[in-house]
Amino acid sequence: MRINGFVVVFGLFILSNPVFGQRFGAKAVIGWNMSQVTGDQMAGFDKFGFMGGLQGTAEIIPKLDLNVEFLYSVRGSRPGIFNSTVDPDINLTLRYLELPVYISYNDWYDEENDFYKAYAFAGFSYGRLISSSVYDNFNDGEGDLETLEQYFNVNDFSLVLGFGFRLSRRIGIQFRFTRSMNLLLDPDKHGINTYPLRPYFLTFRGEFIF
């Protein structure tokens, strides 16, 4: 899927309001990812990266919404903030365009202001790797991530789980966990003697509801 494919899918969702439900909403979102990559010999959600974009929401039935987002998201891995002299000297930055699609369940209705204060959600996300930056001063030879960058999978399919709160009619916050279902680097596929790489990350973000 090319970049313009993301825009087309998001636009079709917005125009499909009469099909999906009677209530439609949109949000602008901005926040931070805290990420890591299994297989890079480091632990901890130490890589901080910007995320931001737009979200469209359509009511399926009362309390149940379908959500589609168009996001720019930075993730990866780096030495631990408090263990920088112990962890391997590796810094991995991955920049994605993401298209999450998920179902949310709303609760805690505010009758006075006519909105639900809390929600939980689950779904999936497709991400397209648009660029990457790799610094590896730890591995040599076949395991050097700078050399292996050419084999990174540009397509990412992830599981998304989380919850959110609306602080007012216009302002909300959200927490989510995203885990890739496929590998960023699959050594078996390319015949490489190294560890497989799989990203996952936590996100905290603010939301402005239109």
Side-chain angles (χ1 to χ4, degrees):
M1 182 182 290
R2 296 179 180 177
I3 292 176
N4 59 354
F6 282 89
V7 179
V8 170
V9 172
F10 189 76
L12 289 174
F13 175 80
I14 292 177
L15 295 174
S16 65
N17 176 29
V19 176
F20 284 106
Q22 297 179 347
R23 184 177 63 84
F24 175 80
K27 300 177 183 178
V29 302
I30 186 170
W32 293 97
N33 296 325
M34 298 162 284
S35 58
Q36 62 174 301
V37 177
T38 57
D40 64 358
Q41 305 175 67
M42 295 183 288
F45 294 91
D46 296 301
K47 182 73 173 186
F48 289 81
F50 171 83
M51 64 77 56
L54 297 173
Q55 175 185 330
T57 301
E59 182 183 76
I60 303 173
I61 58 175
K63 288 194 171 187
L64 206 63
D65 292 341
L66 174 66
N67 306 272
V68 175
E69 298 176 348
F70 178 60
L71 306 175
Y72 172 77
S73 178
V74 180
R75 41 182 134 142
S77 64
R78 52 152 290 168
I81 298 174
F82 302 106
N83 298 312
S84 57
T85 59
V86 178
D87 284 342
D89 190 9
I90 299 171
N91 199 315
L92 175 62
T93 302
L94 308 169
R95 304 172 188 90
Y96 283 88
L97 288 181
E98 294 183 27
L99 190 71
V101 180
Y102 56 89
I103 300 295
S104 58
Y105 177 79
N106 304 298
D107 206 351
W108 194 4
Y109 183 65
D110 185 333
E111 295 184 1
E112 180 179 353
N113 296 297
D114 189 30
F115 66 85
Y116 289 100
K117 292 185 177 182
Y119 62 92
F121 62 89
F124 300 93
S125 177
Y126 169 74
R128 181 75 174 186
L129 182 64
I130 56 174
S131 68
S132 59
S133 303
V134 181
Y135 173 80
D136 186 349
N137 195 33
F138 179 76
N139 294 297
D140 294 318
E142 200 171 24
D144 188 340
L145 292 179
E146 293 182 26
T147 303
L148 297 175
E149 184 180 3
Q150 62 182 311
Y151 300 114
F152 284 0
N153 191 346
V154 297
N155 298 303
D156 177 73
F157 299 93
S158 298
L159 173 67
V160 180
L161 301 169
F163 59 92
F165 299 96
R166 287 182 66 171
L167 307 178
S168 68
R169 288 189 63 85
R170 296 296 184 189
I171 303 298
I173 57 175
Q174 187 190 100
F175 306 86
R176 71 169 57 177
F177 170 76
T178 305
R179 182 184 187 276
S180 296
M181 295 184 291
N182 61 321
L183 295 173
L184 172 67
L185 175 64
D186 187 345
D188 293 337
K189 179 179 178 181
H190 301 287
I192 305 167
N193 183 27
T194 188
Y195 296 103
L197 300 179
R198 187 190 306 274
Y200 55 107
F201 58 99
L202 303 171
T203 303
F204 173 74
R205 74 187 198 185
E207 303 179 332
F208 179 80
I209 300 99
F210 296 107

